Amino acid sequence: MRKNFVEELKWRGMLAQMMPGTEDLLQKEMVTAYLGTDPTADSLHIGHLCGIMMLRHLQRCGHKPIILVGGATGMIGDPSGKSQERNLLNDATLRHNQECIKAQVAKFLDFDSNEANAAEMVNNYDWMKDFTFLDFAREVGKHITVNYMMAKESVQQRLNGTARDGLSFTEFTYQLLQGYDFLYLYQHKGVKLQLGGNDQWGNMTTGTELIRRTLGNEVETYALTCPLITKADGKKFGKTESGNVWLDRHRTTPYAFYQFWLNVSDDDAERYIKIFTSLDKETIDGLVEEHRQDPGRRVLQRKLAEEVTVMVHSKEDLEMAQEASNILFGKSTKESLLKLDEQTLLDVFEGVPHFTLDRSELGQPAIELFTRDDVKVFPSKGEMRKMVQGGGVSLNKEKLDDQNRPVTAGDLIDDKYLLVQRGKKNYFLITVK
């Protein structure tokens, strides 16, 4: 008896709606299902993770996941939940983005298995690029009426002026293109189920309708959606002040990624640990209970941050992120500091006072450098002397025993930074140019 995929999604809070008969189909046979993703960037961000986790659970329940990169549809845009059209991409950019996305998704899905349910990646550009407009109008357009397309909520929103620019013909045809993807995948890959976010429900049901009208009423295909993830305060999930939280380490460092999950609220942590990890129900229920007994220990946030960071990055990246956290909040050494790459160092000390110093000033005693008007780590030389004598000053995580010790180029981290600590919690980052 295969594990029940729908039940798995339900207890995790990952099921929004599904067409009647979906659960019966999944229990009856190995189902091939697909989920589309947008290739407009060379990295996914955590807003894509719920869909990717659906595919992960699908495969673990014995079914076959296909991830579709929307190379053709990515050239057009999608009106679902959006108020503006997307930028069009060229072929080379799309291919590059597809390869980068596959490398990320391979951490969640098994593409290399010899089993029948090995994951696959496809690109709808491959079957759309030679499809002429006339052929498309004849083979696809004749099956779906304009009245049917106009009734979709996403189209209505654009037409009724909730979006500033109206709806172009290009975007109006999007649901037909997405519907044709489902038809093509049904015919060539035996796909019977489409997965997606709840904002895609209209496009997904257009696909099942197109298949029914093209191939006959006896052909049954299904759609299942996950809810759009929000934060407990109703705001959009996955956005920070600096923008999206990306899966690519060059866009969001593993440290910043780890910190994002570590800092979610208690309510969100309880929801997110079900959605964004593969931990089983018993383990999660135990963690929730432990967290409620002592919320201050942030058991849920810590476990959530660990699990997702290892899944997206690696165990080594998790350890580095934890070590980086200790630099700011706990005991650590100069060696810990030197291990950080430049971007992580800047992420760790993002909120601390930041000064700039000219390289020609190096070689002076610490007391001269750190009491200058433009590098005001200490309000006065007297204050600094007193703190140095009390053992309360560190340079690059090493105690400063002598206020007159020269600060030289040999002290620089990454040949450009000095980290001064005054007391236990006050840090100052100096960039030497």
Side-chain angles (χ1 to χ4, degrees), residues 302-332:
R302 288 179 188 283
K303 189 63 176 170
L304 171 66
E306 286 171 14
E307 290 286 320
V308 186
T309 304
V310 169
M311 192 160 51
V312 170
H313 294 292
S314 69
K315 193 156 192 320
E316 291 71 30
D317 286 318
L318 168 66
E319 287 163 2
M320 194 199 74
Q322 289 171 328
E323 204 166 309
S325 302
N326 288 338
I327 288 171
L328 203 49
F329 307 116
K331 293 177 180 174
S332 59

PDB file of all heavy atoms in Angstrom, residues 302-332:
ATOM      1  N   ARG A 302      15.002  26.787  15.475  1.00  0.00           N
ATOM      2  CA  ARG A 302      16.339  26.209  15.287  1.00  0.00           C
ATOM      3  C   ARG A 302      16.288  24.958  14.406  1.00  0.00           C
ATOM      4  O   ARG A 302      17.099  24.786  13.498  1.00  0.00           O
ATOM      5  CB  ARG A 302      16.970  25.870  16.641  1.00  0.00           C
ATOM      6  CG  ARG A 302      17.389  27.097  17.419  1.00  0.00           C
ATOM      7  CD  ARG A 302      17.994  26.750  18.770  1.00  0.00           C
ATOM      8  NE  ARG A 302      18.189  27.958  19.539  1.00  0.00           N
ATOM      9  CZ  ARG A 302      19.173  28.832  19.336  1.00  0.00           C
ATOM     10  NH1 ARG A 302      20.066  28.611  18.387  1.00  0.00           N
ATOM     11  NH2 ARG A 302      19.275  29.926  20.066  1.00  0.00           N
ATOM     12  N   LYS A 303      15.321  24.095  14.690  1.00  0.00           N
ATOM     13  CA  LYS A 303      15.213  22.856  13.900  1.00  0.00           C
ATOM     14  C   LYS A 303      14.829  23.166  12.457  1.00  0.00           C
ATOM     15  O   LYS A 303      15.359  22.571  11.506  1.00  0.00           O
ATOM     16  CB  LYS A 303      14.170  21.930  14.544  1.00  0.00           C
ATOM     17  CG  LYS A 303      14.141  20.526  13.934  1.00  0.00           C
ATOM     18  CD  LYS A 303      15.462  19.780  14.145  1.00  0.00           C
ATOM     19  CE  LYS A 303      15.401  18.365  13.618  1.00  0.00           C
ATOM     20  NZ  LYS A 303      16.719  17.711  13.597  1.00  0.00           N
ATOM     21  N   LEU A 304      13.893  24.097  12.292  1.00  0.00           N
ATOM     22  CA  LEU A 304      13.473  24.520  10.950  1.00  0.00           C
ATOM     23  C   LEU A 304      14.666  25.070  10.162  1.00  0.00           C
ATOM     24  O   LEU A 304      14.919  24.662   9.020  1.00  0.00           O
ATOM     25  CB  LEU A 304      12.379  25.593  11.072  1.00  0.00           C
ATOM     26  CG  LEU A 304      11.946  26.318   9.797  1.00  0.00           C
ATOM     27  CD1 LEU A 304      11.249  25.360   8.832  1.00  0.00           C
ATOM     28  CD2 LEU A 304      11.021  27.490  10.138  1.00  0.00           C
ATOM     29  N   ALA A 305      15.413  25.981  10.778  1.00  0.00           N
ATOM     30  CA  ALA A 305      16.565  26.604  10.105  1.00  0.00           C
ATOM     31  C   ALA A 305      17.617  25.559   9.739  1.00  0.00           C
ATOM     32  O   ALA A 305      18.197  25.597   8.650  1.00  0.00           O
ATOM     33  CB  ALA A 305      17.168  27.686  10.996  1.00  0.00           C
ATOM     34  N   GLU A 306      17.845  24.607  10.650  1.00  0.00           N
ATOM     35  CA  GLU A 306      18.839  23.555  10.375  1.00  0.00           C
ATOM     36  C   GLU A 306      18.405  22.686   9.198  1.00  0.00           C
ATOM     37  O   GLU A 306      19.177  22.446   8.269  1.00  0.00           O
ATOM     38  CB  GLU A 306      19.014  22.670  11.625  1.00  0.00           C
ATOM     39  CG  GLU A 306      19.785  23.332  12.743  1.00  0.00           C
ATOM     40  CD  GLU A 306      19.739  22.522  14.032  1.00  0.00           C
ATOM     41  OE1 GLU A 306      19.335  21.331  13.984  1.00  0.00           O
ATOM     42  OE2 GLU A 306      20.106  23.076  15.095  1.00  0.00           O
ATOM     43  N   GLU A 307      17.165  22.211   9.246  1.00  0.00           N
ATOM     44  CA  GLU A 307      16.681  21.288   8.216  1.00  0.00           C
ATOM     45  C   GLU A 307      16.699  21.916   6.828  1.00  0.00           C
ATOM     46  O   GLU A 307      17.140  21.311   5.853  1.00  0.00           O
ATOM     47  CB  GLU A 307      15.247  20.827   8.556  1.00  0.00           C
ATOM     48  CG  GLU A 307      15.162  19.904   9.750  1.00  0.00           C
ATOM     49  CD  GLU A 307      15.659  18.492   9.447  1.00  0.00           C
ATOM     50  OE1 GLU A 307      15.378  17.979   8.352  1.00  0.00           O
ATOM     51  OE2 GLU A 307      16.338  17.903  10.312  1.00  0.00           O
ATOM     52  N   VAL A 308      16.171  23.144   6.730  1.00  0.00           N
ATOM     53  CA  VAL A 308      16.055  23.772   5.407  1.00  0.00           C
ATOM     54  C   VAL A 308      17.428  24.174   4.877  1.00  0.00           C
ATOM     55  O   VAL A 308      17.712  24.033   3.688  1.00  0.00           O
ATOM     56  CB  VAL A 308      15.096  24.991   5.448  1.00  0.00           C
ATOM     57  CG1 VAL A 308      14.881  25.535   4.044  1.00  0.00           C
ATOM     58  CG2 VAL A 308      13.758  24.610   6.041  1.00  0.00           C
ATOM     59  N   THR A 309      18.318  24.639   5.756  1.00  0.00           N
ATOM     60  CA  THR A 309      19.657  25.042   5.304  1.00  0.00           C
ATOM     61  C   THR A 309      20.438  23.843   4.783  1.00  0.00           C
ATOM     62  O   THR A 309      21.112  23.926   3.754  1.00  0.00           O
ATOM     63  CB  THR A 309      20.435  25.751   6.441  1.00  0.00           C
ATOM     64  OG1 THR A 309      19.660  26.864   6.911  1.00  0.00           O
ATOM     65  CG2 THR A 309      21.784  26.252   5.959  1.00  0.00           C
ATOM     66  N   VAL A 310      20.342  22.700   5.471  1.00  0.00           N
ATOM     67  CA  VAL A 310      21.044  21.493   4.997  1.00  0.00           C
ATOM     68  C   VAL A 310      20.446  21.026   3.668  1.00  0.00           C
ATOM     69  O   VAL A 310      21.178  20.643   2.748  1.00  0.00           O
ATOM     70  CB  VAL A 310      20.970  20.358   6.047  1.00  0.00           C
ATOM     71  CG1 VAL A 310      21.446  19.038   5.463  1.00  0.00           C
ATOM     72  CG2 VAL A 310      21.825  20.722   7.263  1.00  0.00           C
ATOM     73  N   MET A 311      19.118  21.089   3.547  1.00  0.00           N
ATOM     74  CA  MET A 311      18.460  20.613   2.335  1.00  0.00           C
ATOM     75  C   MET A 311      18.825  21.490   1.124  1.00  0.00           C
ATOM     76  O   MET A 311      19.108  20.984   0.042  1.00  0.00           O
ATOM     77  CB  MET A 311      16.941  20.615   2.549  1.00  0.00           C
ATOM     78  CG  MET A 311      16.148  19.883   1.502  1.00  0.00           C
ATOM     79  SD  MET A 311      14.504  19.430   2.123  1.00  0.00           S
ATOM     80  CE  MET A 311      13.898  20.963   2.782  1.00  0.00           C
ATOM     81  N   VAL A 312      18.844  22.792   1.312  1.00  0.00           N
ATOM     82  CA  VAL A 312      19.114  23.711   0.199  1.00  0.00           C
ATOM     83  C   VAL A 312      20.612  23.863  -0.046  1.00  0.00           C
ATOM     84  O   VAL A 312      21.060  23.952  -1.187  1.00  0.00           O
ATOM     85  CB  VAL A 312      18.463  25.087   0.472  1.00  0.00           C
ATOM     86  CG1 VAL A 312      18.926  26.136  -0.527  1.00  0.00           C
ATOM     87  CG2 VAL A 312      16.941  24.954   0.436  1.00  0.00           C
ATOM     88  N   HIS A 313      21.391  23.887   1.023  1.00  0.00           N
ATOM     89  CA  HIS A 313      22.845  24.089   0.889  1.00  0.00           C
ATOM     90  C   HIS A 313      23.587  22.795   1.266  1.00  0.00           C
ATOM     91  O   HIS A 313      23.699  21.900   0.454  1.00  0.00           O
ATOM     92  CB  HIS A 313      23.287  25.294   1.717  1.00  0.00           C
ATOM     93  CG  HIS A 313      22.719  26.595   1.198  1.00  0.00           C
ATOM     94  ND1 HIS A 313      23.108  27.131  -0.001  1.00  0.00           N
ATOM     95  CD2 HIS A 313      21.787  27.436   1.701  1.00  0.00           C
ATOM     96  CE1 HIS A 313      22.436  28.257  -0.217  1.00  0.00           C
ATOM     97  NE2 HIS A 313      21.624  28.462   0.796  1.00  0.00           N
ATOM     98  N   SER A 314      24.089  22.698   2.473  1.00  0.00           N
ATOM     99  CA  SER A 314      24.792  21.476   2.907  1.00  0.00           C
ATOM    100  C   SER A 314      24.996  21.536   4.408  1.00  0.00           C
ATOM    101  O   SER A 314      24.791  22.583   5.035  1.00  0.00           O
ATOM    102  CB  SER A 314      26.161  21.371   2.218  1.00  0.00           C
ATOM    103  OG  SER A 314      27.021  22.397   2.712  1.00  0.00           O
ATOM    104  N   LYS A 315      25.441  20.414   4.969  1.00  0.00           N
ATOM    105  CA  LYS A 315      25.721  20.366   6.412  1.00  0.00           C
ATOM    106  C   LYS A 315      26.860  21.324   6.756  1.00  0.00           C
ATOM    107  O   LYS A 315      26.845  22.000   7.779  1.00  0.00           O
ATOM    108  CB  LYS A 315      26.079  18.933   6.810  1.00  0.00           C
ATOM    109  CG  LYS A 315      26.078  18.716   8.320  1.00  0.00           C
ATOM    110  CD  LYS A 315      25.851  17.262   8.671  1.00  0.00           C
ATOM    111  CE  LYS A 315      25.561  17.037  10.134  1.00  0.00           C
ATOM    112  NZ  LYS A 315      26.319  17.828  11.069  1.00  0.00           N
ATOM    113  N   GLU A 316      27.866  21.372   5.865  1.00  0.00           N
ATOM    114  CA  GLU A 316      29.013  22.272   6.090  1.00  0.00           C
ATOM    115  C   GLU A 316      28.559  23.731   6.105  1.00  0.00           C
ATOM    116  O   GLU A 316      29.018  24.534   6.923  1.00  0.00           O
ATOM    117  CB  GLU A 316      30.073  22.083   4.979  1.00  0.00           C
ATOM    118  CG  GLU A 316      30.806  20.754   5.005  1.00  0.00           C
ATOM    119  CD  GLU A 316      29.932  19.575   4.584  1.00  0.00           C
ATOM    120  OE1 GLU A 316      29.004  19.765   3.759  1.00  0.00           O
ATOM    121  OE2 GLU A 316      30.165  18.454   5.087  1.00  0.00           O
ATOM    122  N   ASP A 317      27.639  24.076   5.198  1.00  0.00           N
ATOM    123  CA  ASP A 317      27.128  25.450   5.158  1.00  0.00           C
ATOM    124  C   ASP A 317      26.336  25.774   6.420  1.00  0.00           C
ATOM    125  O   ASP A 317      26.395  26.897   6.929  1.00  0.00           O
ATOM    126  CB  ASP A 317      26.247  25.660   3.923  1.00  0.00           C
ATOM    127  CG  ASP A 317      27.064  25.749   2.651  1.00  0.00           C
ATOM    128  OD1 ASP A 317      28.121  26.400   2.659  1.00  0.00           O
ATOM    129  OD2 ASP A 317      26.664  25.157   1.626  1.00  0.00           O
ATOM    130  N   LEU A 318      25.594  24.788   6.909  1.00  0.00           N
ATOM    131  CA  LEU A 318      24.857  24.995   8.162  1.00  0.00           C
ATOM    132  C   LEU A 318      25.836  25.284   9.297  1.00  0.00           C
ATOM    133  O   LEU A 318      25.645  26.227  10.073  1.00  0.00           O
ATOM    134  CB  LEU A 318      24.021  23.763   8.505  1.00  0.00           C
ATOM    135  CG  LEU A 318      23.430  23.753   9.927  1.00  0.00           C
ATOM    136  CD1 LEU A 318      22.403  24.855  10.100  1.00  0.00           C
ATOM    137  CD2 LEU A 318      22.817  22.390  10.250  1.00  0.00           C
ATOM    138  N   GLU A 319      26.889  24.479   9.381  1.00  0.00           N
ATOM    139  CA  GLU A 319      27.867  24.668  10.460  1.00  0.00           C
ATOM    140  C   GLU A 319      28.536  26.033  10.370  1.00  0.00           C
ATOM    141  O   GLU A 319      28.769  26.699  11.376  1.00  0.00           O
ATOM    142  CB  GLU A 319      28.911  23.546  10.422  1.00  0.00           C
ATOM    143  CG  GLU A 319      28.329  22.209  10.915  1.00  0.00           C
ATOM    144  CD  GLU A 319      29.169  20.999  10.529  1.00  0.00           C
ATOM    145  OE1 GLU A 319      30.239  21.191   9.898  1.00  0.00           O
ATOM    146  OE2 GLU A 319      28.757  19.868  10.852  1.00  0.00           O
ATOM    147  N   MET A 320      28.828  26.468   9.130  1.00  0.00           N
ATOM    148  CA  MET A 320      29.432  27.790   8.965  1.00  0.00           C
ATOM    149  C   MET A 320      28.446  28.896   9.369  1.00  0.00           C
ATOM    150  O   MET A 320      28.817  29.882  10.003  1.00  0.00           O
ATOM    151  CB  MET A 320      29.869  28.002   7.520  1.00  0.00           C
ATOM    152  CG  MET A 320      30.788  29.202   7.366  1.00  0.00           C
ATOM    153  SD  MET A 320      30.860  29.798   5.665  1.00  0.00           S
ATOM    154  CE  MET A 320      29.278  30.602   5.524  1.00  0.00           C
ATOM    155  N   ALA A 321      27.163  28.702   9.022  1.00  0.00           N
ATOM    156  CA  ALA A 321      26.142  29.691   9.388  1.00  0.00           C
ATOM    157  C   ALA A 321      25.992  29.770  10.908  1.00  0.00           C
ATOM    158  O   ALA A 321      25.861  30.854  11.481  1.00  0.00           O
ATOM    159  CB  ALA A 321      24.808  29.322   8.740  1.00  0.00           C
ATOM    160  N   GLN A 322      26.038  28.603  11.572  1.00  0.00           N
ATOM    161  CA  GLN A 322      25.932  28.590  13.034  1.00  0.00           C
ATOM    162  C   GLN A 322      27.156  29.233  13.675  1.00  0.00           C
ATOM    163  O   GLN A 322      27.041  29.971  14.653  1.00  0.00           O
ATOM    164  CB  GLN A 322      25.747  27.147  13.519  1.00  0.00           C
ATOM    165  CG  GLN A 322      24.377  26.587  13.173  1.00  0.00           C
ATOM    166  CD  GLN A 322      24.247  25.098  13.447  1.00  0.00           C
ATOM    167  OE1 GLN A 322      25.214  24.345  13.328  1.00  0.00           O
ATOM    168  NE2 GLN A 322      23.059  24.647  13.804  1.00  0.00           N
ATOM    169  N   GLU A 323      28.311  28.958  13.082  1.00  0.00           N
ATOM    170  CA  GLU A 323      29.548  29.553  13.599  1.00  0.00           C
ATOM    171  C   GLU A 323      29.521  31.069  13.412  1.00  0.00           C
ATOM    172  O   GLU A 323      29.928  31.827  14.287  1.00  0.00           O
ATOM    173  CB  GLU A 323      30.754  28.953  12.854  1.00  0.00           C
ATOM    174  CG  GLU A 323      32.034  29.043  13.654  1.00  0.00           C
ATOM    175  CD  GLU A 323      33.139  28.150  13.080  1.00  0.00           C
ATOM    176  OE1 GLU A 323      32.898  26.953  12.850  1.00  0.00           O
ATOM    177  OE2 GLU A 323      34.229  28.678  12.874  1.00  0.00           O
ATOM    178  N   ALA A 324      29.012  31.488  12.260  1.00  0.00           N
ATOM    179  CA  ALA A 324      28.898  32.930  11.993  1.00  0.00           C
ATOM    180  C   ALA A 324      27.950  33.581  12.998  1.00  0.00           C
ATOM    181  O   ALA A 324      28.203  34.696  13.479  1.00  0.00           O
ATOM    182  CB  ALA A 324      28.402  33.160  10.569  1.00  0.00           C
ATOM    183  N   SER A 325      26.863  32.877  13.343  1.00  0.00           N
ATOM    184  CA  SER A 325      25.923  33.403  14.349  1.00  0.00           C
ATOM    185  C   SER A 325      26.622  33.558  15.693  1.00  0.00           C
ATOM    186  O   SER A 325      26.387  34.526  16.426  1.00  0.00           O
ATOM    187  CB  SER A 325      24.723  32.464  14.511  1.00  0.00           C
ATOM    188  OG  SER A 325      24.059  32.289  13.297  1.00  0.00           O
ATOM    189  N   ASN A 326      27.490  32.584  16.028  1.00  0.00           N
ATOM    190  CA  ASN A 326      28.200  32.640  17.305  1.00  0.00           C
ATOM    191  C   ASN A 326      29.147  33.828  17.385  1.00  0.00           C
ATOM    192  O   ASN A 326      29.425  34.336  18.467  1.00  0.00           O
ATOM    193  CB  ASN A 326      29.001  31.352  17.531  1.00  0.00           C
ATOM    194  CG  ASN A 326      28.096  30.175  17.855  1.00  0.00           C
ATOM    195  OD1 ASN A 326      26.963  30.381  18.295  1.00  0.00           O
ATOM    196  ND2 ASN A 326      28.559  28.966  17.612  1.00  0.00           N
ATOM    197  N   ILE A 327      29.666  34.249  16.246  1.00  0.00           N
ATOM    198  CA  ILE A 327      30.595  35.393  16.241  1.00  0.00           C
ATOM    199  C   ILE A 327      29.908  36.615  16.826  1.00  0.00           C
ATOM    200  O   ILE A 327      30.468  37.361  17.605  1.00  0.00           O
ATOM    201  CB  ILE A 327      31.096  35.670  14.807  1.00  0.00           C
ATOM    202  CG1 ILE A 327      32.073  34.568  14.388  1.00  0.00           C
ATOM    203  CG2 ILE A 327      31.753  37.034  14.702  1.00  0.00           C
ATOM    204  CD1 ILE A 327      32.472  34.594  12.935  1.00  0.00           C
ATOM    205  N   LEU A 328      28.645  36.782  16.450  1.00  0.00           N
ATOM    206  CA  LEU A 328      27.909  37.959  16.913  1.00  0.00           C
ATOM    207  C   LEU A 328      27.311  37.755  18.301  1.00  0.00           C
ATOM    208  O   LEU A 328      27.286  38.666  19.106  1.00  0.00           O
ATOM    209  CB  LEU A 328      26.796  38.267  15.899  1.00  0.00           C
ATOM    210  CG  LEU A 328      26.242  39.679  15.827  1.00  0.00           C
ATOM    211  CD1 LEU A 328      27.342  40.713  15.738  1.00  0.00           C
ATOM    212  CD2 LEU A 328      25.317  39.806  14.624  1.00  0.00           C
ATOM    213  N   PHE A 329      26.841  36.520  18.572  1.00  0.00           N
ATOM    214  CA  PHE A 329      26.055  36.314  19.787  1.00  0.00           C
ATOM    215  C   PHE A 329      26.733  35.453  20.849  1.00  0.00           C
ATOM    216  O   PHE A 329      26.213  35.294  21.939  1.00  0.00           O
ATOM    217  CB  PHE A 329      24.713  35.668  19.426  1.00  0.00           C
ATOM    218  CG  PHE A 329      23.969  36.423  18.371  1.00  0.00           C
ATOM    219  CD1 PHE A 329      23.706  35.858  17.134  1.00  0.00           C
ATOM    220  CD2 PHE A 329      23.554  37.727  18.605  1.00  0.00           C
ATOM    221  CE1 PHE A 329      23.019  36.553  16.150  1.00  0.00           C
ATOM    222  CE2 PHE A 329      22.860  38.437  17.626  1.00  0.00           C
ATOM    223  CZ  PHE A 329      22.598  37.848  16.405  1.00  0.00           C
ATOM    224  N   GLY A 330      27.861  34.858  20.513  1.00  0.00           N
ATOM    225  CA  GLY A 330      28.470  33.957  21.488  1.00  0.00           C
ATOM    226  C   GLY A 330      29.969  34.072  21.488  1.00  0.00           C
ATOM    227  O   GLY A 330      30.545  35.057  21.030  1.00  0.00           O
ATOM    228  N   LYS A 331      30.622  33.057  22.036  1.00  0.00           N
ATOM    229  CA  LYS A 331      32.078  33.052  22.095  1.00  0.00           C
ATOM    230  C   LYS A 331      32.628  32.491  20.799  1.00  0.00           C
ATOM    231  O   LYS A 331      32.169  31.474  20.311  1.00  0.00           O
ATOM    232  CB  LYS A 331      32.539  32.193  23.270  1.00  0.00           C
ATOM    233  CG  LYS A 331      32.164  32.781  24.616  1.00  0.00           C
ATOM    234  CD  LYS A 331      32.576  31.862  25.739  1.00  0.00           C
ATOM    235  CE  LYS A 331      32.194  32.490  27.078  1.00  0.00           C
ATOM    236  NZ  LYS A 331      32.444  31.589  28.198  1.00  0.00           N
ATOM    237  N   SER A 332      33.593  33.166  20.237  1.00  0.00           N
ATOM    238  CA  SER A 332      34.239  32.637  19.037  1.00  0.00           C
ATOM    239  C   SER A 332      35.648  33.220  18.962  1.00  0.00           C
ATOM    240  O   SER A 332      36.023  34.085  19.745  1.00  0.00           O
ATOM    241  CB  SER A 332      33.441  32.989  17.790  1.00  0.00           C
ATOM    242  OG  SER A 332      33.328  34.382  17.679  1.00  0.00           O
TER     243      SER A 332
END
